[in-house]
Amino acid sequence: MKLRITDVLLALLLAAIGVFGSLGADGVSTLDRPVDGLALGLAGANGVLLVLRRVVPVVTVVASAVVTSAYLVLGYPYGPILVSLLVAVYSVARYVRLRWSLPAGGAALVILLVHVFTNPVALPGLVGLVPGSAWVVVPFAVGVSVRQYREGVERARAEAVRRRVDAERLRLAREVHDVVGHGLAAIKMQAEVALHLIDVKPAQAEVALTAISRTAADALDEVRAMVRSSGEAERAPVPGLARLADLRDRMSDAGMRVDLDAEPVPGGLSPAADLAGYRVVQESLTNALRHSLAKRASVRVRFDVDVVIIDVRNPVERAPGPDGMGIPGMRERVTALGGDFSAGPDNGSFRVHARIPREGVS
């Protein structure tokens, strides 16, 4: 740890207090040794030692205990020199782990208590140990408490940062899955069409290849916008329910017929709810493209007073597998906003139903 200007100023202040405080204590008791140059030097040196209280706290506290004990063993009067020792003890407990600070504090205590048995003014024996010990025990306990509190705060802050990072990673993973998964499903279908028609109907194959290029470009643009926005205070524009017609057209290019019945998007719809609704429709149609042989689906979007109601159906020959991210991802999106979500077979079709609060809050 580097030397700090605040520690230099504190050390100079305590050195001055030690010197002038010792002069003030001179003559209070006739049993005390008169304050002389040595006493003032020890008092000043004890304060100056605190310049290193963060750099080498163990050395500082032991040195401070030696200087303080020497001052008291020589019979000089009690005074502010003890304040410097108090700060040194606090510092070692605050900045050093118990593995090292506890032995250092113990050593300082033993060194300090030597004067109890040598200084005629000190309270004798066990009676003198209690007040003498307080100058080490109390600041040490305070230092340990502060250290533990600060470490707890740092752990909580690190945990909060970790949770935010994990949440952002999950958000990006979900967005990439929805965008790339949708694009690849459409591209796969269009590529199969192009391969089938390239020899017999080259013109239609060219249309399919053009659709592949457009779908890939749209997906790449959306991923780039998503990545750019992930570290910005204001995110780039994201897809919403107003773009369902574009989504229907892309699905049509992929060979899937989509019957879209969507009310105009009203005001008061939060961006989170708007994006979640779009992703539910997008992922539902992507699953239908992958798993339905009929290659058709119906999408119905309605706006109630406080919710967006989405219903997507397609003929079911085989339901989406349980191991994919699609349905769990949709459910998590919706429930995270306080909505309701269900997906499963329903009267010969596979139905995805979602109710999302328009405010998008749980």
Side-chain angles (χ1 to χ4, degrees):
M1 190 174 292
K2 294 181 179 180
L3 189 65
R4 297 190 180 186
I5 185 63
T6 53
D7 289 338
V8 174
L9 295 176
L10 176 64
L12 294 176
L13 175 62
L14 290 177
I17 291 174
V19 169
F20 291 104
S22 297
L23 288 173
D26 189 24
V28 172
S29 172
T30 57
L31 297 177
D32 288 327
R33 179 175 173 175
V35 173
D36 53 20
L38 177 59
L40 298 179
L42 291 172
N46 209 27
V48 172
L49 281 172
L50 295 177
V51 168
L52 303 175
R53 72 187 189 96
R54 295 182 210 245
V55 181
V56 282
V58 172
V59 174
T60 300
V61 73
V62 173
S64 179
V66 169
V67 172
T68 304
S69 183
Y71 176 95
L72 296 174
V73 166
L74 291 173
Y76 294 117
Y78 284 90
I81 190 172
L82 287 164
V83 177
S84 298
L85 175 64
L86 184 149
V87 174
V89 172
Y90 167 83
S91 299
V92 77
R94 168 66 180 88
Y95 300 112
V96 180
R97 295 188 179 277
L98 280 176
R99 178 182 177 184
W100 300 106
S101 64
L102 191 58
L109 178 60
V110 171
I111 294 170
L112 176 67
L113 293 180
V114 170
H115 83 279
V116 173
F117 304 98
T118 60
N119 190 336
V121 181
L123 294 174
L126 295 177
V127 178
L129 293 179
V130 175
S133 300
W135 287 98
V136 174
V137 173
V138 173
F140 190 89
V142 172
V144 170
S145 298
V146 172
R147 177 181 178 82
Q148 291 177 342
Y149 171 75
R150 295 290 177 84
E151 288 178 347
V153 170
E154 289 299 320
R155 284 194 298 269
R157 184 180 295 115
E159 179 64 20
V161 171
R162 187 192 65 79
R163 285 198 298 268
R164 287 197 296 270
V165 170
D166 289 345
E168 181 65 8
R169 286 175 177 169
L170 180 60
R171 184 191 72 83
L172 284 174
R174 189 187 299 123
E175 292 292 319
V176 170
H177 169 270
D178 290 348
V179 173
V180 176
H182 168 75
L184 290 178
I187 288 171
K188 177 178 180 295
M189 185 61 62
Q190 292 158 348
E192 290 175 350
V193 171
L195 288 173
H196 181 71
L197 298 175
I198 193 166
D199 292 328
V200 295
K201 296 181 179 179
Q204 293 186 19
E206 183 178 352
V207 171
L209 292 173
T210 301
I212 288 174
S213 176
R214 184 168 60 251
T215 301
D218 290 344
L220 285 172
D221 288 343
E222 195 168 341
V223 169
R224 289 192 186 103
M226 180 197 320
V227 172
R228 284 196 302 268
S229 69
S230 63
E232 298 173 1
E234 295 185 0
R235 300 190 183 281
V238 294
L241 293 170
R243 293 180 55 185
L244 289 182
D246 295 337
L247 178 60
R248 176 197 58 197
D249 294 342
R250 289 203 302 271
M251 299 306 294
S252 296
D253 291 340
M256 184 173 185
R257 192 183 76 197
V258 178
D259 297 324
L260 177 62
D261 180 12
E263 294 180 350
V265 179
L269 182 64
S270 72
D274 198 18
L275 176 61
Y278 179 89
R279 293 302 190 206
V280 166
V281 176
Q282 181 186 52
E283 183 61 25
S284 299
L285 295 180
T286 301
N287 284 339
L289 181 63
R290 288 171 173 168
H291 302 289
S292 174
L293 299 178
K295 295 297 181 287
R296 69 176 188 272
S298 64
V299 177
R300 181 182 175 88
V301 180
R302 294 289 180 265
F303 296 90
D304 205 342
V305 176
D306 56 354
V307 295
V308 181
I309 304 170
I310 297 173
D311 196 87
V312 183
R313 295 173 181 264
N314 64 274
V316 59
E317 293 86 9
R318 54 193 179 97
D323 299 329
M325 292 179 59
I327 291 177
M330 287 189 286
R331 178 176 287 107
E332 187 173 343
R333 280 183 185 277
V334 174
T335 56
L337 298 177
D340 300 316
F341 177 86
S342 62
D346 181 49
N347 295 326
S349 65
F350 191 85
R351 182 192 185 204
V352 173
H353 184 77
R355 292 173 62 87
I356 306 172
R358 288 173 56 164
E359 293 300 319
V361 295
S362 57

